[in-house]
């Protein structure tokens, strides 16, 4: 009989006990049924042989049913869940990246083995045992990931190790963060060299007579090729990893080096030490050895062997003579240093900028004489811009004219990542500054525009003051437009997103764009097929297309060409296409893309990283605000999209915008299918008792006068506490406020805190918030249902219309 499941005390668990009892009951009922059937059959036929045959048939059928029954486990779901998690954990543990997943509450969901090894157990990002402000960098990356989908942090120090981190927002509801940690590149160089020596490159070196091994800083062997293993142990397949390198060699009183296994009459070898981490005095190194049989091997042939070996290595390596002239450099060195095809530089300094040439020449001559030593020098390549690279220098002896070994590392990807992180950080800081300035400026503009409206009510057209007041208001509206552009750049404007087809927006705005272009500029519009829906503010998308089109027009005009062409293309970009792009910024998914291309003079490389910054412009003074592209950047990012600029001088520019494809819910589909209803012009006059709460005196005065003129009774307060006092004072009487109009951000007690207390006593009280910040930015702090929002700056008509609409809706 199969053993029954027991709990931790050794007794049957309740569920198991219940299952056993049910089984006994069913068995008893089955036996009882068979016995009754036998009794009835015997009573009818009075035949013992037939009775025994029926009993045998019943037993055989029962046995067949028992053995053919489906086998089930009482915990199928738990086992499947555990198996699924085991597979997921197994896959994560095979990665060479430290992985951790956290939820929106900051709790650690899971982490792989490498992450727990690096950070001493299941630590929770961003609070890891890091040094030199690493947690602050990681926290910033996490906030950027929640907002933009991705964040980056580099140079995270823990002891002697340094890590780069990438944070990705993930999950069906974007409710998780995936934290990826990779060691700095210098650790990767050691790993790459180990794989190279132990792989096909190591075999090629062995066939060329070059013995190779990699040792750690402690002197123990990490990897070696077959040639070294054969000379050291006598067997090619011998595993010597972990053994002390120096134990396989010996030297005589003249300093000649031999393999210990060869004995006193072995062939001497020449040893070359290539450090893999120049920041450590005794760090990991690549050791190369070639035979030197008492001088019979010509120095020239030995140098040829070394050059043949260096050409196989993925590291950028070169040899120079005592005067600093190049004898040889491999392809990797030439690629990193920017050597053109067919070019033959004479000195290493020829590859550097003018300021670094003399320093390189002096260092090469210094390492070419005296005892063998190594070091590095920070230099700037003529083809590498302003970012310095590390040039490794090591003195070598015994190879004829070769006196110095140079090494250089390709850090272009690292430099690119640094620039991207720096650019994103700068744009975030500038955006915060722009948003703060715009908010304060909106309060001032609200007062100016409001007073202009009040003055215009007392002056008729044709009055001597009417035109002056109207001019003030027009310029104030222009200033309000600039603040909206600043808020767009800082992603703090109020959007009214809709589900739409991108070609429809392009078609609507293309006619307007044609009128803005010169007759000699051709506008070409093409639409792709199977475009997915996008969710964005159509008015803001039109602003994006207009800004890019006008910017392209100005680029063509400034190029001096007699004609030009602007192309606007929409296209479906599938997830497979995104993977092929191999972008570190664009997450894999389905997108609807918009491409705007011009035939202008292009954007210089030194300026392309600045074009999205506010107030940056290459136009003449008075011909541009510098906010066109920064507005485009902010609108695209706030709409959940991504924008890239590509250009080659003299070949025009292309702006690529990717909007994620939006999947409609049933509710959204029903809303779209409803016929549009005509909206009647709203009545501005009304009656009602309104509580106005605003900390800015000038805004409060304008709003009070505007509403009073429209027939409302207005009571004012300067903050939330005073607003509550006004409500308590009215409770003693019969009257109560019909609605509350309040600012959001105020000292002492802000608007949302006051509104929550009011809603406890008056759950149906209408509330209208007004603010210079965007509604989306304030939704978390407001955290109330059934509230309306009025963005600043507003006119007298706009505030009266908003109040009237709320009171009318509440009266229904």
């Amino acid at each position: 009989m199969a053993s029954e499941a027991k709990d931790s005390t050794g007794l049957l668990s309740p569920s198991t006990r219940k299952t056993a009892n049910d089984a006994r009951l069913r068995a008893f009922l089955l036996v009882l049924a068979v016995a009754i059937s036998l009794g009835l059959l015997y009573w009818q036929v009075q035949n013992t042989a037939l009775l025994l045959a029926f009993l045998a048939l019943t037993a055989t059928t029962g046995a067949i049913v028992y053995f053919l029954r489906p086998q089930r486990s009482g915990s199928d779901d738990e086992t499947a869940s555990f198996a699924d998690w085991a597979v997921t954990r197994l896959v994560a543990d095979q990665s060479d990246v430290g992985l951790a997943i956290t939820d929106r509450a900051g709790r650690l969901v899971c982490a792989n083995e490498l992450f727990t090894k690096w950070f001493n157990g299941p630590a929770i990002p961003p609070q890891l045992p890091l040094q030199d402000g690493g947690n602050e960098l990681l926290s910033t990356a996490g906030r950027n990931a929640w907002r933009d989908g991705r964040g980056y942090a580099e140079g995270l120090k823990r002891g002697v190790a340094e890590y780069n981190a990438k944070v990705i927002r993930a999950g069906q509801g974007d409710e998780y963060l995936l934290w990826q940690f990779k060691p700095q590149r210098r650790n990767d160089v050691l790993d790459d060299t180990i794989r190279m020596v132990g792989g096909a490159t190591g075999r090629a070196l062995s066939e060329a007579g070059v013995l190779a091994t990699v040792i750690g800083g402690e002197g123990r062997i990490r990897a070696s090729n077959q040639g070294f293993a054969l000379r050291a142990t006598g067997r090619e397949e011998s595993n010597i990893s972990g053994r002390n390198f120096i134990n396989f060699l010996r030297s005589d009183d003249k300093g000649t080096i031999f393999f210990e296994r060869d004995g006193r009459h072995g062939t001497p070898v020449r040893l070359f030490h290539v450090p893999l981490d120049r920041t450590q005095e005794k760090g990991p190194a690549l050791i190369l050895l070639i035979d030197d049989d008492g001088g019979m091997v010509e120095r020239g042939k030995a140098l040829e062997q070394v050059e043949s070996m260096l050409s196989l290595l993925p590291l950028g390596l070169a040899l120079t003579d005592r005067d600093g002239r190049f004898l040889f450099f491999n392809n990797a060195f030439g690629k990193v240093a920017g050597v053109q095809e067919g070019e033959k530089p004479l000195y290493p300094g020829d590859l550097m900028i003018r300021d670094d040439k003399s320093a390189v020449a002096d260092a090469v001559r210094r390492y070419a004489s005296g005892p063998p030593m190594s070091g590095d020098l920070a230099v700037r390549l003529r083809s590498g811009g302003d970012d310095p690279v590390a040039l490794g220098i090591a003195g070598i002896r015994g190879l004829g004219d070769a006196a110095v070994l140079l090494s250089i590392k390709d850090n272009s990807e690292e430099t690119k990542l640094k620039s991207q992180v720096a650019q994103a950080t700068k744009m975030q800081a500038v955006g915060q500054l722009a948003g703060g300035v715009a908010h304060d400026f909106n309060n001032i503009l609200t007062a100016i525009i409001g007073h202009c409206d009040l003055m215009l009510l007392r002056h008729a057209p044709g009055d001597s003051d009417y035109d002056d007041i109207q001019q003030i208001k027009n310029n104030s509206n222009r200033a309000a437009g600039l603040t909206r552009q600043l808020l767009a750049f800082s992603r703090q404007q109020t959007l009214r997103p809709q589900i739409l087809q991108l070609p429809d927006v392009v078609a609507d705005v293309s006619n307007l764009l044609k009128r803005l272009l010169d007759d000699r500029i051709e506008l070409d519009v093409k639409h792709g097929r199977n475009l997915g829906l996008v969710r964005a503010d159509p008015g803001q998308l039109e602003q994006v297309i207009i800004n890019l089109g006008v910017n392209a027009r100005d680029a063509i005009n400034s190029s001096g060409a007699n004609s030009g062409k602007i192309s606007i293309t929409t296209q479906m970009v599938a997830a497979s296409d995104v993977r092929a792009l191999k972008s570190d910024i664009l997450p894999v998914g389905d997108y609807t893309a918009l491409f705007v291309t011009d035939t202008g003079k292009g954007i210089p490389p030194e300026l392309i990283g600045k074009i999205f910054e506010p107030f940056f412009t290459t136009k003449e003074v008075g011909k541009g605000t510098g906010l066109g592209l920064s507005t485009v950047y902010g609108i695209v990012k706030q709409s959940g999209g991504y924008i890239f600029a590509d250009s080659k001088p003299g070949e025009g520019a292309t702006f690529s915008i990717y909007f994620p494809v939006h999947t409609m819910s049933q509710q959204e589909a029903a809303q779209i299918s409803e016929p549009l209803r005509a909206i009647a012009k709203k009545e501005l006059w009304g009656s009602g008792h309104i509580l106005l709460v605003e900390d800015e005196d000038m805004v409060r005065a304008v709003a009070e006068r505007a509403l009073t003129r429209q027939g409302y009774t207005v009571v004012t307060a300067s903050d939330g506490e005073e607003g509550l006092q006004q409500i308590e004072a009215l409770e003693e009487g019969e009257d109560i406020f019909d609605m509350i109009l309040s600012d959001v951000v105020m000292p002492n007690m802000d608007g949302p805190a006051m509104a929550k207390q009011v809603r406890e006593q008056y759950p149906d009280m209408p509330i209208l918030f007004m603010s210079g910040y965007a509604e989306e930015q304030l939704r978390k702090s407001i955290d109330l249902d059934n509230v309306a929002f009025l963005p600043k700056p507003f006119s007298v008509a706009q505030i009266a219309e908003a109040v009237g609409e709320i009171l009318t809706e509440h009266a229904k």
Side-chain angles (χ1 to χ4, degrees):
M1 182 182 293
S3 60
E4 296 177 310
K6 298 184 178 181
D7 58 17
S8 58
T9 63
L11 302 176
L12 289 175
S13 63
S15 60
T16 306
R17 195 180 303 117
K18 182 179 182 301
T19 302
N21 292 335
D22 291 344
R24 295 189 186 98
L25 178 60
R26 287 194 297 270
F28 173 75
L29 293 176
L30 179 61
V31 171
L32 180 62
V34 171
I36 293 173
S37 300
L38 289 174
L40 291 174
L41 181 63
Y42 182 76
W43 179 62
Q44 289 291 332
V45 300
Q46 299 292 323
N47 190 327
T48 304
L50 182 60
L51 192 66
L52 292 176
F54 173 76
L55 181 61
L57 178 62
T58 302
T60 302
T61 304
I64 292 173
V65 171
Y66 176 80
F67 285 109
L68 294 182
R69 79 190 190 282
Q71 300 296 319
R72 292 193 56 194
S73 170
S75 58
D76 286 347
D77 294 338
E78 297 177 3
T79 304
S81 176
F82 177 78
D84 289 345
W85 170 246
V87 171
T88 304
R89 179 61 184 267
L90 178 62
V91 172
D93 285 341
Q94 304 308 309
S95 173
D96 58 352
V97 178
L99 300 175
I101 299 176
T102 59
D103 59 14
R104 282 196 176 272
R107 295 171 296 198
L108 183 67
V109 178
C110 65
N112 70 349
E113 204 169 297
L114 203 55
F115 176 86
T116 58
K117 174 184 176 182
W118 285 345
F119 301 109
N120 289 347
I124 304 177
Q127 300 304 320
L128 301 179
L130 300 174
Q131 304 163 352
D132 299 337
N135 287 333
E136 288 77 5
L137 295 175
L138 208 54
S139 297
T140 301
R143 288 193 296 270
N144 291 341
W146 282 126
R147 187 188 64 231
D148 299 332
R150 292 200 174 196
Y152 302 91
E154 62 175 5
L156 306 175
K157 296 183 179 180
R158 171 166 168 72
V160 298
E162 290 189 17
Y163 302 93
N164 293 336
K166 179 164 68 173
V167 191
I168 303 175
R169 191 177 64 219
Q172 292 184 350
D174 288 339
E175 68 272 24
Y176 298 105
L177 285 185
L178 172 63
W179 306 77
Q180 302 177 354
F181 295 86
K182 288 185 178 180
Q184 287 278 32
R185 182 61 188 168
R186 65 175 181 228
N187 294 332
D188 295 341
V189 171
L190 175 59
D191 295 337
D192 292 345
T193 308
I194 290 174
R195 287 192 292 268
M196 176 197 69
V197 170
T201 304
R203 287 192 295 271
L205 291 174
S206 294
E207 294 171 359
V210 180
L211 315 181
T213 184
V214 181
I215 63 172
E218 75 287 351
R220 296 188 179 277
I221 295 175
R222 301 289 185 86
S224 59
N225 67 352
Q226 291 86 345
F228 183 89
L230 178 63
R231 291 289 295 276
T233 65
R235 292 184 295 112
E236 285 188 358
E237 304 302 325
S238 178
N239 183 10
I240 56 176
S241 297
R243 299 176 64 176
N244 201 322
F245 166 73
I246 200 64
N247 291 342
F248 293 106
L249 303 176
R250 66 179 179 84
S251 61
D252 58 15
D253 52 359
K254 297 180 181 179
T256 306
I257 301 175
F258 302 87
F259 272 93
E260 180 70 34
R261 182 176 173 277
D262 291 345
R264 296 180 58 184
H265 303 290
T267 302
V269 293
R270 291 186 180 274
L271 185 147
F272 303 93
H273 180 273
V274 181
L276 300 177
D277 187 354
R278 299 185 182 280
T279 62
Q280 303 182 39
E281 183 177 354
K282 294 183 178 181
L286 171 65
I287 305 296
L288 305 170
L289 304 102
I290 59 174
D291 286 342
D292 183 10
D293 50 356
M296 289 187 294
V297 177
E298 297 179 0
R299 298 295 176 89
K301 185 176 180 180
L303 182 58
E304 290 177 3
Q305 288 180 322
V306 173
E307 291 179 357
S308 175
M309 175 267 300
L310 295 182
S311 64
L312 297 173
L313 297 178
L315 307 173
L317 299 170
L319 293 172
T320 70
D321 60 15
R322 295 182 182 277
D323 295 327
R325 287 187 291 265
F326 273 124
L327 296 175
F328 164 83
F329 57 82
N330 63 4
N331 292 333
F333 187 95
K335 179 180 178 181
V336 177
V339 178
Q340 301 298 323
E341 186 176 357
E343 182 184 3
K344 296 182 179 180
L346 187 59
Y347 295 96
D350 296 339
L351 305 176
M352 314 301 165
I353 65 172
R354 180 178 300 178
D355 294 342
D356 291 343
K357 285 186 176 182
S358 58
V360 173
D362 292 341
V364 171
R365 284 194 293 268
R366 186 169 66 254
Y367 281 90
S369 59
M373 56 182 181
S374 62
D376 59 354
L377 185 67
V379 297
R380 287 167 293 177
L381 299 172
R382 66 183 185 186
S383 60
D386 296 330
D387 296 316
V389 298
L391 179 67
I393 309 175
I396 58 176
R397 304 292 179 266
L399 285 179
D401 294 335
V404 174
L405 174 67
L406 301 177
S407 64
I408 193 170
K409 185 179 80 169
D410 182 4
N411 58 354
S412 57
E413 289 298 324
E414 182 179 344
T415 301
K416 181 180 178 181
L417 181 59
K418 284 183 179 179
S419 63
Q420 288 176 348
V421 173
Q423 179 71 6
T425 304
K426 179 174 67 174
M427 296 293 276
Q428 179 186 4
V430 174
Q432 290 174 347
L433 174 63
V437 170
H439 169 258
D440 293 337
F441 202 46
N442 275 336
N443 281 326
I444 300 174
L445 290 175
T446 301
I448 296 175
I449 294 173
H451 279 103
C452 287
D453 286 338
L454 294 173
M455 293 176 67
L456 288 173
L457 293 175
R458 300 195 301 271
H459 294 77
D463 193 329
S464 59
D465 294 333
Y466 184 88
D467 291 339
D468 295 336
I469 299 171
Q470 190 67 48
Q471 191 67 29
I472 295 173
K473 182 179 179 182
N474 291 340
N475 284 282
S476 298
N477 285 327
R478 286 184 60 193
L482 291 178
T483 61
R484 281 193 294 272
Q485 289 179 310
L486 285 174
L487 288 172
F489 166 74
S490 59
R491 288 171 264 172
Q492 295 178 10
Q493 65 175 339
T494 299
L495 297 181
R496 295 292 180 261
Q498 300 178 15
I499 301 170
L500 45 84
Q501 282 282 3
L502 191 56
D504 295 340
V505 180
V506 175
D508 292 340
V509 80
S510 58
N511 292 329
L512 173 61
L513 188 57
K514 287 179 181 178
R515 293 196 294 269
L516 296 174
L517 302 180
D518 300 336
D519 294 337
R520 57 191 179 86
I521 298 179
E522 177 188 356
L523 178 62
D524 182 31
V525 179
K526 295 181 180 178
H527 298 299
R529 296 182 178 180
N530 302 321
L531 298 180
L533 297 172
V534 299
R535 187 174 186 272
D537 187 325
Q540 296 298 323
L541 279 188
E542 291 179 358
Q543 184 70 43
V544 166
I545 299 170
I546 290 293
N547 286 8
L548 291 177
V550 171
N551 194 69
R553 177 201 66 186
D554 296 341
I556 294 173
N557 289 337
S558 63
S559 66
N562 294 326
S563 62
K565 182 178 180 180
I566 299 175
S567 300
I568 301 178
T569 306
T570 58
Q571 180 180 331
M572 186 270 290
V573 180
S576 57
D577 300 324
V578 177
R579 290 191 189 93
L581 292 175
K582 296 181 179 179
S583 173
D584 291 333
I585 298 177
L586 191 64
V588 176
D590 295 329
Y591 294 89
T592 297
L594 173 69
F595 302 102
V596 180
T597 304
D598 64 73
T599 58
K601 61 182 181 181
I603 306 172
E606 65 272 12
L607 299 182
I608 199 166
K610 302 178 181 179
I611 59 175
F612 293 122
E613 297 178 10
F615 304 112
F616 175 81
T617 180
T618 57
K619 300 177 182 178
E620 297 178 7
V621 177
K623 292 189 176 181
T625 62
L627 288 173
L629 288 180
S630 62
T631 302
V632 169
Y633 175 86
I635 293 173
V636 170
K637 297 297 289 184
Q638 192 174 357
S639 302
Y642 301 85
I643 181 168
F644 304 93
D646 298 302
S647 177
K648 292 182 179 180
E651 299 183 13
T654 299
F655 288 86
S656 307
I657 303 175
Y658 297 86
F659 292 106
V661 172
H662 180 75
T663 303
M664 283 198 305
S665 63
Q666 294 181 353
Q667 181 180 1
E668 291 172 335
Q671 290 176 352
I672 291 179
S673 62
E674 291 181 359
L676 296 177
R677 293 174 295 178
I679 301 176
K681 184 177 179 180
K682 298 179 176 61
E683 178 62 49
L684 300 183
W685 294 93
S687 61
H689 201 184
I690 299 174
L691 174 62
L692 171 62
V693 187
E694 169 62 59
D695 62 314
E696 289 285 346
D697 296 339
M698 52 186 177
V699 178
R700 186 171 65 250
V702 168
E704 180 184 7
R705 289 183 59 187
L707 295 175
T708 301
R709 288 185 63 90
Q710 304 303 324
Y712 298 101
T713 302
V714 181
V715 176
T716 63
S718 59
D719 58 32
E721 292 181 354
E722 187 177 344
L724 293 177
Q725 293 173 3
Q726 295 286 5
I727 294 175
E728 292 175 358
L730 284 179
E731 286 179 353
E732 300 175 358
E734 298 179 356
D735 199 4
I736 190 62
F737 293 112
D738 294 307
M739 70 168 292
I740 297 176
L741 174 62
S742 173
D743 192 15
V744 177
V745 180
M746 295 182 293
N748 299 327
M749 177 183 285
D750 60 15
M754 175 197 68
K756 288 179 182 178
Q757 294 192 27
V758 172
R759 281 283 176 87
E760 291 178 358
Q761 295 182 345
Y762 305 101
D764 297 328
M765 174 69 71
I767 298 174
L768 172 61
F769 284 115
M770 54 183 176
S771 178
Y773 290 108
E775 182 179 0
E776 289 82 359
Q777 297 293 116
L778 300 171
R779 270 299 171 187
K780 290 184 179 179
S781 62
I782 293 176
D783 193 24
L784 288 170
D785 296 328
N786 300 323
V787 296
F789 186 83
L790 177 64
K792 297 178 183 177
F794 47 76
S795 65
V796 169
Q798 286 172 333
I799 188 174
E801 180 180 320
V803 170
E805 183 177 346
I806 292 175
L807 291 177
T808 302
E809 185 69 24
H810 183 66
K812 291 181 180 179

